[in-house]
Amino acid sequence: MFDKFILKFGDNQFYNAIKITFTAIVSFFIFYSSAGATAAFTVTLGALLCAPIDISSNFKHKVIGLLMVSVLIPLISFILTYTYNYFLIFAPVFCLLVFFSAFISLYGHRANLLSFTLLLTISLSFIHHDKPEILLTNCIYLLLGGLFYTFVSILFYFIKPNRYINLEVAECIEITGDYLDLRAQLWQKDTDREKINRQMLEKQVRINELHEHIREYLVYNKARTLNSNNNRKLLVALSSLVEILELAMANTFNHQEFIDFFKNDESVLGEYRTLAKNFSITLKQLSFSIKTNRKYHSKMSLVNDFKRLKLRMNEFIENQNISVYDENAVNVSNLLFYADKQVEKIKGLERVYKERVNADELRGKYRDLEKFFTPEHYRLKTLTAHLNFKSATFRYSLRLTLTMLIGLIVGKIFDFQNAYWILLTIVVIMRPGYGLTKQRSTHRIIGTVIGGILGITALILIDSNVVLSILAIIAMLLGYWFSGIDYKVGVTFVTLYVILIYGLLTNNAESHLVFRILDTSIGALLAFFATRFVWPTWELYSVNTYLEKSLRVIKLYIIEVKYYYIKKGEPTTSYKLARKNAFIEVGNLMASFQRMIQEPRTKQINRAELYELTVLNQTLVSSAASIGTYIQFHKTTEASNAFKLVMDYINNNLSQALHNLDFEAEITDDTEEDFKISMGQLKAIRRQEVEKMDIDDQSKIQKLEESQLIIDQLIWMSNLSEKIAKLTLKMK
C-alpha cells in the first residue's frame, strides 16, 4: 500500500501539478503585494492557461510553444473583450475563434492541447467585460503570467531535464508489468479469460501511446542520443520494452490444455504462475525505483525461478513416462522457451538501470527509429480536407461553437453572476463523442456539488485564514493532480479550492457556490443535449473504418511473416513496421469499440460481432507474431509450398472479410480444397520428414517443435480468418 502511495506521488501528473501550483502561488503573491488582488488573479490566470501545452518534447519546441500561447491568450482576450458590447461584430468573431480553436485539434496531440487552451481562454475572456478601462492592463498581466509560467517551466526543465521522459518510461514499465500480471492470471483454473483479454487489450492501447511518446522524444533529441547517458538508457529501455510486449503477445498458449496436462501435479503449473507473476513484480519494482529516483536492486531471482521451473517440468514429463517427441512435451518445450526469453529481456531492461549502457548495446538500436515514429504535419491541406460534414472534427467544431454561443446568450439574458462558468463547463465537458461527454457531465456536476459542500463546511468550521489558505493550496495541488487521473475527484478539489479562495477574499462564498452549481448544471446539460442531438458523431460510423484499417495491416503483416519464413535472417524494417502497425491498429479498434459501448443501445449496432472481431484480430496478430518470433530465435527449415499456400489462404479470407464490409480487396482464386490439401501435407509430410532425418535427438526435438508450433499456428490462424470472414458476412 505504501509503495502504491509513493508511486502516485512520483508520476507525471503529480510532477505537473507541483509545477502549476508553484507557479500560481508565487505569481499570485508577487503581484498581490505590488498590484493588488485583481492583478494577481489575472497574472495567475495567464500562467495557468499556459500549463496544458507544457508537455514533453525537445527544448526548442517547448519554448516556442509556450511563448506562442503566452501571446495568443492576451490577444484573444483583448479582441473578445473589446468587441463584447458590439454584438453584431462580437458574435461572428466569437464563433470564428471558437470554431477554429476546436478545429485545429485534428492536427494531433499537441494541437489538441493548444485547442483546449484557446477554448479556455475564450471562455474566460469575459471576466472583466464590464470594465473596458482596464482591458489593456489585464492583457499585459495575462502576458506576464504566460511569460512567468514559461520561465518556471524552463527552470524546472534545467533542474530536472530528464524527469518528464523518465517518468513516461517508468509508467510504460509499470503498465507493461500490469499487462504481464494479467497474462499470469490466465493460468488460473477458473479465471474469467474473456474479461482478462479485454483488459489486456486496454492496457495495450496505453502501452502503444507511451512507446510513441518515448520514440518522439528520442527522434527530436537525435543529436544528443549518443552523447547522453540518459538518452542511451532510454534507447535501450524502449527497445527492451517493445521486445517484452511483443514476446508476450507472440506467445499465446492453450491454457486449459496445459491445466489438464498438469492435473496430476498442479504444483508444477504453480511454478510457472509464480514465474509469470514475478515478471510483473520485477517490472513494477523497477518502475518504482525510477519514479522515486532510487538506485535499483533486484528483489526477484528470475533466473533461479526459471531453472526451478524447467527442472520441475522436465521431472514431471520423465515421471509420467512421456516421450520427448510427444505433442505435450513439445508444447512444454515451447512454453519454457518463451519463459527463458522473457527472463532474458527483463534482465536486459534491469541492466539498463543498474549500470551505464555501453556502445555494444546501442548497436542497431537507433537505426530506422524515425520510421517507427509518426510525426505530426501541420499542412493547410489537412484543414481544407476536413471542411465537410463527413469529418467528425468539423461536426464537433460546429457543435461546440453553437453550444457555446447559446451558453453565452443564456448567461447574458438571465444575467448570471459568473456566466463564463457556463462556457467553461461546456469546453471542459464536451468531447467529440457522446459517451465521454455524458460521463464527464455527470462527474462534473457530482464533483462540483461535493467540492462546494466541503468548501462551505470548511469556511463555517475554520476561523483561521492561515489554515484556510493552506487547505486552498493543497486542494489546488490535488485538483490539478487528479484531473488527469480521476476527473470527478479532480473537479471536487478544484471546486473546493475556488470556494476557499472566494471565502478568503469575500464574504459571500455561499452565493458563489450556488451560482457555480447552477452554471455548471446549465453548461453540462447544454453539452450533453448538443452532443446527443446536434450533428452527433456516433462511433458506429467510425468503428468500421478502424476495422478496415485493422484487417488491412494484419494482411500486410501476414505477408511479411510469410516472406520472413522464406528468407530467414534478421527481421527487416518492413517486417517490424508491419508488426507495430498491426498491434497499434488492433488497439485502435478496441478503443473505438470501448467508445461505442458508452453510447445509447440503439447506436450499438453489431456490438457482439464487433467485439468478437476485435478479439479475433488480436488473436490472429498474436499467432502471426508467434511464427515470426520463432523464426527470429531458431534456425528453421526451408518453407514448403504448402506453407505458402496456407498463408495465402488466410490472407484471402481477410480479403473476403474486407469485401463483405464493402471495402475494396483483391480476392484470389484459391479454393478451400487447395487449402485442405496443403494442411494435410503440412501435418503428415512434415512429421514424417523429421522422424526419418538422420540427426541427433536434440536436433530432432527442435525440428518437431518447429513443425508443431508452425502447424498449430497455421491451423489456428486459418480458423480465425474463416471466423472473421463469416462474421463480417453476418454484419453485411
Side-chain angles (χ1 to χ4, degrees):
M1 179 62 73
F2 178 74
D3 283 0
K4 287 183 179 179
F5 186 73
I6 294 295
L7 277 173
K8 285 297 179 187
F9 276 93
D11 63 16
N12 263 325
Q13 291 288 347
F14 187 69
Y15 185 63
N16 287 335
I18 289 174
K19 191 194 310 184
I20 296 168
T21 306
F22 173 80
T23 307
I25 293 169
V26 173
S27 61
F28 181 84
F29 282 110
I30 287 175
F31 285 89
Y32 184 77
S33 58
S34 59
T38 301
F41 270 119
T42 308
V43 171
T44 303
L45 180 62
L48 294 179
L49 286 171
C50 284
I53 72 157
D54 186 17
I55 60 173
S56 177
S57 60
N58 72 348
F59 183 68
K60 180 181 176 183
H61 288 181
K62 176 192 283 286
V63 174
I64 291 174
L66 286 171
L67 289 176
M68 181 179 71
V69 82
S70 296
V71 172
L72 284 174
I73 288 167
L75 182 62
I76 289 173
S77 185
F78 180 87
I79 292 170
L80 290 176
T81 307
Y82 187 77
T83 60
Y84 186 80
N85 292 322
Y86 309 97
F87 191 76
L88 292 179
I89 299 173
F90 169 81
V93 171
F94 174 82
C95 291
L96 283 172
L97 283 173
V98 172
F99 178 82
F100 282 105
S101 294
F103 199 47
I104 60 172
S105 63
L106 62 85
Y107 279 125
H109 182 54
R110 274 189 182 79
N112 190 45
L113 294 173
L114 176 60
S115 169
F116 181 65
T117 294
L118 296 182
L119 289 169
L120 287 179
T121 301
I122 292 168
S123 303
L124 295 167
S125 294
F126 316 109
I127 295 178
H128 300 298
H129 66 83
D130 56 337
K131 299 177 182 177
E133 67 277 4
I134 63 169
L135 171 58
L136 187 59
T137 306
N138 280 338
C139 289
I140 292 172
Y141 284 139
L142 285 172
L143 177 62
L144 288 173
L147 294 175
F148 184 70
Y149 182 86
T150 302
F151 169 75
V152 172
S153 180
I154 293 170
L155 185 66
F156 269 68
Y157 177 85
F158 281 114
I159 292 172
K160 288 280 188 180
N162 300 313
R163 180 65 174 160
Y164 193 99
I165 192 62
N166 286 341
L167 289 175
E168 290 282 281
V169 174
E171 184 183 354
C172 188
I173 293 171
E174 182 183 358
I175 297 178
T176 304
D178 291 338
Y179 182 88
L180 294 184
D181 183 48
L182 288 168
R183 279 181 59 91
Q185 293 175 34
L186 289 170
W187 292 93
Q188 295 171 8
K189 185 180 290 187
D190 299 317
T191 193
D192 186 347
R193 293 191 177 85
E194 183 178 335
K195 179 182 176 182
I196 291 172
N197 283 322
R198 186 168 62 249
Q199 291 172 334
M200 286 168 62
L201 271 170
E202 291 168 6
K203 294 289 182 187
Q204 186 187 327
V205 172
R206 180 58 182 155
I207 292 170
N208 287 336
E209 289 175 359
L210 290 166
H211 286 175
E212 192 74 355
H213 290 174
I214 302 166
R215 283 192 194 97
E216 178 185 17
Y217 179 88
L218 288 168
V219 167
Y220 284 140
N221 288 273
K222 182 175 180 179
R224 299 191 295 118
T225 297
L226 299 179
N227 301 321
S228 161
N229 184 54
N230 188 71
N231 280 4
R232 288 196 293 269
K233 282 184 176 182
L234 288 175
L235 196 54
V236 181
L238 173 63
S239 177
S240 298
L241 284 166
V242 170
E243 288 170 350
I244 288 168
L245 177 67
E246 291 179 348
L247 190 62
M249 292 179 66
N251 286 271
T252 53
F253 303 102
N254 188 326
H255 301 90
Q256 192 57 51
E257 194 174 282
F258 274 99
I259 290 170
D260 293 340
F261 178 63
F262 288 106
K263 64 183 178 183
N264 292 333
D265 189 353
E266 294 182 0
S267 65
V268 179
L269 203 55
E271 290 281 0
Y272 180 77
R273 283 197 296 268
T274 299
L275 176 62
K277 187 75 175 176
N278 287 346
F279 288 159
S280 171
I281 292 171
T282 300
L283 291 180
K284 289 180 180 180
Q285 287 174 345
L286 177 56
S287 173
F288 180 80
S289 71
I290 297 170
K291 286 185 175 183
T292 55
N293 205 26
R294 297 177 184 175
K295 191 174 179 63
Y296 177 68
H297 297 286
S298 303
K299 294 182 180 179
M300 298 292 165
S301 180
L302 296 180
V303 173
N304 289 336
D305 288 342
F306 173 73
K307 287 178 179 177
R308 188 164 55 249
L309 169 68
K310 186 176 181 180
L311 181 64
R312 289 292 308 277
M313 285 193 165
N314 288 337
E315 283 178 352
F316 179 86
I317 289 170
E318 188 177 330
N319 292 337
Q320 296 291 319
N321 293 320
I322 298 170
S323 168
V324 291
Y325 303 131
D326 184 86
E327 183 177 325
N328 288 315
V330 174
N331 284 336
V332 168
S333 182
N334 284 327
L335 178 66
L336 288 172
F337 168 77
Y338 160 71
D340 187 26
K341 283 297 173 185
Q342 198 64 284
V343 169
E344 179 186 317
K345 298 302 178 186
I346 293 173
K347 294 301 290 183
L349 181 61
E350 282 186 307
R351 191 170 61 251
V352 172
Y353 289 95
K354 281 183 176 180
E355 55 197 53
R356 293 177 68 87
V357 176
N358 58 49
D360 290 338
E361 289 179 281
L362 284 173
R363 190 170 292 118
K365 301 286 186 189
Y366 200 85
R367 185 183 61 200
D368 298 324
L369 181 65
E370 291 188 26
K371 293 180 182 178
F372 292 86
F373 165 62
T374 308
E376 293 164 353
H377 299 291
Y378 305 104
R379 300 189 182 100
L380 182 60
K381 188 177 179 181
T382 306
L383 276 179
T384 55
H386 282 79
L387 285 171
N388 56 74
F389 274 90
K390 291 181 180 178
S391 168
T393 306
F394 179 78
R395 293 200 302 276
Y396 163 67
S397 302
L398 278 180
R399 188 188 316 126
L400 181 64
T401 303
L402 179 61
T403 311
M404 287 186 69
L405 184 61
I406 293 171
L408 184 67
I409 292 170
V410 169
K412 202 166 186 178
I413 290 173
F414 293 100
D415 196 24
F416 288 139
Q417 186 176 4
N418 293 310
Y420 63 87
W421 273 342
I422 297 175
L423 303 185
L424 199 62
T425 300
I426 292 168
V427 168
V428 173
I429 286 176
M430 187 176 279
R431 303 292 93 188
Y434 170 85
L436 189 56
T437 299
K438 178 184 176 183
Q439 183 186 62
R440 288 172 78 92
S441 298
T442 307
H443 287 179
R444 187 165 182 84
I445 291 173
I446 293 171
T448 300
V449 172
I450 295 173
I453 292 171
L454 290 175
I456 296 299
T457 303
L459 290 174
I460 293 171
L461 297 178
I462 301 171
D463 292 329
S464 172
N465 284 350
V466 174
V467 175
L468 289 173
S469 298
I470 293 171
L471 283 177
I473 292 170
I474 294 171
M476 183 182 184
L477 177 64
L478 294 175
Y480 282 109
W481 180 23
F482 278 99
S483 291
I485 300 171
D486 188 319
Y487 183 67
K488 182 166 54 182
V489 177
V491 170
T492 300
F493 282 115
V494 168
T495 303
L496 172 60
Y497 150 70
V498 170
I499 295 299
L500 290 176
I501 291 296
Y502 273 119
L504 286 166
L505 298 176
T506 67
N507 295 318
N508 59 342
E510 294 85 354
S511 66
H512 282 290
L513 171 60
V514 173
F515 280 111
R516 182 169 174 80
I517 292 174
L518 179 62
D519 293 338
T520 297
S521 300
I522 291 171
L525 288 171
L526 285 173
F528 173 73
F529 283 111
T531 305
R532 180 68 175 84
F533 298 109
V534 181
W535 305 300
T537 300
W538 302 114
E539 198 64 34
L540 69 93
Y541 300 116
S542 303
V543 73
N544 275 359
T545 303
Y546 287 108
L547 180 57
E548 180 201 4
K549 288 180 180 179
S550 176
L551 289 170
R552 290 198 187 282
V553 295
I554 293 171
K555 274 174 57 65
L556 289 173
Y557 181 43
I558 288 172
I559 291 169
E560 288 291 339
V561 172
K562 171 186 165 184
Y563 285 120
Y564 184 30
Y565 193 46
I566 294 169
K567 295 176 182 178
K568 318 296 185 188
E570 284 292 314
T572 61
T573 300
S574 62
Y575 170 85
K576 291 178 180 178
L577 275 171
R579 181 178 59 191
K580 175 209 164 192
N581 291 334
F583 288 159
I584 287 175
E585 290 302 336
V586 170
N588 289 341
L589 176 60
M590 181 61 185
S592 178
F593 175 79
Q594 292 284 19
R595 290 192 294 270
M596 190 187 80
I597 61 176
Q598 293 176 4
E599 296 177 348
R601 277 280 181 180
T602 56
K603 303 299 180 183
Q604 296 179 28
I605 300 171
N606 297 319
R607 171 176 172 158
E609 290 81 3
L610 283 167
Y611 176 69
E612 191 173 350
L613 280 168
T614 303
V615 174
L616 287 171
N617 282 4
Q618 164 72 7
T619 311
L620 184 57
V621 170
S622 297
S623 296
S626 183
I627 295 176
T629 302
Y630 190 89
I631 301 165
Q632 185 177 349
F633 294 111
H634 294 83
K635 185 176 180 180
T636 54
T637 56
E638 183 179 348
S640 66
N641 190 54
F643 169 82
K644 300 171 191 174
L645 284 170
V646 172
M647 292 293 272
D648 289 341
Y649 172 78
I650 294 164
N651 243 336
N652 205 40
N653 282 333
L654 298 182
S655 295
Q656 184 63 56
L658 286 165
H659 183 72
N660 292 342
L661 296 167
D662 295 326
F663 296 116
E664 290 185 9
E666 185 178 343
I667 302 174
T668 64
D669 296 327
D670 293 341
T671 65
E672 192 169 335
E673 191 60 35
D674 294 331
F675 160 71
K676 288 177 180 177
I677 292 169
S678 300
M679 284 307 307
Q681 289 174 339
L682 283 173
K683 285 176 171 178
I685 299 172
R686 193 74 208 105
R687 194 169 185 94
Q688 290 171 13
E689 284 178 353
V690 172
E691 288 173 351
K692 289 177 182 178
M693 286 180 181
D694 187 19
I695 53 178
D696 59 70
D697 285 348
Q698 189 59 40
S699 299
K700 190 173 286 188
I701 291 169
Q702 186 176 330
K703 299 294 182 188
L704 282 171
E705 285 175 8
E706 176 192 349
S707 173
Q708 185 161 321
L709 184 138
I710 299 297
I711 291 169
D712 284 350
Q713 293 301 338
L714 287 177
I715 293 171
W716 185 227
M717 289 169 67
S718 301
N719 292 335
L720 292 170
S721 65
E722 288 169 3
K723 286 181 181 178
I724 289 171
K726 288 175 183 175
L727 271 172
T728 51
L729 185 61
K730 184 179 176 182
M731 289 170 58
K732 191 171 182 179

